[in-house]
Amino acid sequence: MTVRWGEKRYYSLDYYLKTTYGEKLYKISLDGGMTCPNRDGTLGTRGCIFCSRGGSGDFAESHTLSVTEQIESGKKQSAKKYTGSSYIAYFQAYTNTYASLAYLEKLYMEAILHPDIRILSIATRPDCLSTEILDLLERLNQIKPVWVELGLQTIHERTARYIRRGYDLPVFETAVSELRRRGIDVIVHTILCLPGETKPDILQTIQYLNRQDIQGIKLQLLHILKGTDLAEIYASDPIPVPDPQEYYELLGACISHLRPDIVIHRLTGDGPKELLTAPLWTCNKRQVLNQLQSYFKTHDIWQGKEY
């Protein structure tokens, strides 16, 4: 194998940032105080079956603070492990385009104009991107780079219905097309080992994404968190949860088939320890990542090997 991404066998976010911006950027998770159509009654009231009460923003700052206050708090929190002064403002909790245009513009502008913010990253649903919001994102992208993270999870409609995703695949494809038409980078969030999905099912999702105009991907192992409908299902009828070796093998297959120019923003995930029911071995993130690198090297795996 020819080394392409520093010491890693895949195109990591860390490598992308250092080669693009000349330094590591620390991501500050923000809460814009929004909800989700899967929670406010528009599509449902209980959210996706895996989604925690924090709306996947369990590590975000408090929405009771202003954006600037959240950024400053995040900078203080990161000071123990990050000595730089450049950050990514990451609106993470719930659906971060699910509000009025005026509210979103005020929120995003406060973040993007902060002198220490280099990138604005927004996690949302593909069915919550109106033309007006897309145009706003395009204007913001002229100030500083804007990333939009779309929660796809899977391409399989049977699974999408089971997890209550709430939109069909063509909606995702339209969102990607409209964002790219405006020059905005797209990151796709996928969940591996969803109930009922096999390894071939998961690889079909990867191969589908290879054909989409996306720039980044998050490969998230399914976490079963307390207080979710998935946790109730798991308590009464435990669904299969992979052990580390099974997950490393699956992940190796995924990155082997992944298009080599797609930046990998996440390879595992670390749910809040106080909420995590399973798999508990993911709590030691550093150990997991080290073991992953060792597995890839031992089995001569690299991103795009089978692409």
Side-chain angles (χ1 to χ4, degrees):
M1 172 197 141
T2 302
V3 176
R4 300 175 59 179
W5 307 289
E7 298 176 356
K8 295 193 174 83
R9 290 174 163 254
Y10 58 92
Y11 195 0
S12 70
L13 175 60
D14 186 59
Y15 182 82
Y16 169 80
L17 292 172
K18 287 177 179 175
T19 54
T20 306
Y21 295 91
E23 61 180 327
K24 179 182 175 68
L25 306 184
Y26 189 87
K27 187 179 287 185
I28 298 175
S29 293
L30 307 174
D31 188 337
M34 282 167 260
T35 182
C36 169
N38 238 354
R39 287 183 177 271
D40 71 357
T42 303
L43 294 174
T45 58
R46 296 183 63 82
C48 295
I49 65 169
F50 52 78
C51 192
S52 69
R53 291 177 185 172
S56 299
D58 300 295
F59 296 107
E61 299 294 327
S62 171
H63 68 85
T64 60
L65 303 174
S66 72
V67 169
T68 300
E69 288 170 337
Q70 289 187 52
I71 291 171
E72 294 304 320
S73 175
K75 285 167 59 178
K76 289 177 184 176
Q77 293 290 328
S78 69
K80 301 171 186 175
K81 50 187 174 182
Y82 178 62
T83 57
S85 59
S86 297
Y87 300 86
I88 299 170
Y90 178 35
F91 285 96
Q92 181 179 20
Y94 296 102
T95 302
N96 290 283
T97 55
Y98 195 54
S100 72
L101 186 67
Y103 179 82
L104 293 175
E105 183 166 14
K106 179 178 180 297
L107 202 71
Y108 298 157
M109 286 297 289
E110 187 175 349
I112 209 165
L113 294 179
H114 191 289
D116 295 335
I117 295 300
R118 299 286 297 277
I119 298 167
L120 175 63
S121 184
I122 300 164
T124 191
R125 296 169 56 95
D127 57 348
C128 293
L129 287 167
S130 66
T131 300
E132 293 76 18
I133 290 171
L134 288 163
D135 290 343
L136 168 62
L137 298 177
E138 184 177 15
R139 294 195 300 274
L140 293 167
N141 199 39
Q142 307 306 310
I143 302 171
K144 291 175 186 175
V146 173
W147 297 348
V148 172
E149 179 182 318
L150 299 176
L152 174 66
Q153 323 313 356
T154 179
I155 64 165
H156 300 288
E157 295 297 345
R158 67 183 186 278
T159 314
R161 288 192 296 271
Y162 180 78
I163 63 175
R164 299 197 299 259
R165 189 179 67 189
Y167 68 84
D168 296 328
L169 201 55
V171 176
F172 168 80
E173 293 170 358
T174 299
V176 172
S177 175
E178 290 298 320
L179 287 163
R180 293 303 297 141
R181 190 163 68 82
R182 292 166 171 81
I184 296 166
D185 280 5
V186 176
I187 302 154
V188 179
H189 191 284
T190 61
I191 297 181
L192 309 186
C193 304
L194 286 165
E197 291 211 347
T198 63
K199 181 178 176 181
D201 290 332
I202 294 166
L203 290 179
Q204 283 174 14
T205 293
I206 297 298
Q207 288 157 351
Y208 165 85
L209 290 173
N210 283 337
R211 300 189 295 271
Q212 302 298 310
D213 185 7
I214 68 168
Q215 290 61 57
I217 190 169
K218 286 185 173 180
L219 299 164
Q220 166 80 52
L221 172 59
L222 179 67
H223 282 158
I224 300 169
L225 303 177
K226 295 173 184 174
T228 64
D229 286 359
L230 184 61
E232 291 183 16
I233 294 167
Y234 184 75
S236 60
D237 184 19
I239 57 177
V241 174
D243 63 31
Q245 199 65 23
E246 290 170 332
Y247 187 62
Y248 301 160
E249 181 183 343
L250 174 62
L251 208 48
C254 287
I255 76 156
S256 292
H257 286 86
L258 185 66
R259 206 175 72 216
D261 65 294
I262 297 175
V263 179
I264 297 178
H265 288 238
R266 180 182 293 166
L267 274 178
T268 169
D270 48 346
K273 292 181 181 179
E274 67 276 11
L275 295 181
L276 188 63
T277 298
L280 294 175
W281 58 264
T282 62
C283 287
N284 193 337
K285 187 176 180 180
R286 184 178 296 276
Q287 180 180 327
V288 169
L289 289 173
N290 288 339
Q291 290 176 348
L292 267 173
Q293 307 307 329
S294 176
Y295 180 86
F296 294 162
K297 187 173 181 180
T298 300
H299 293 83
D300 198 28
I301 291 167
W302 66 87
Q303 185 175 341
K305 182 179 181 180
E306 305 291 338
Y307 171 64

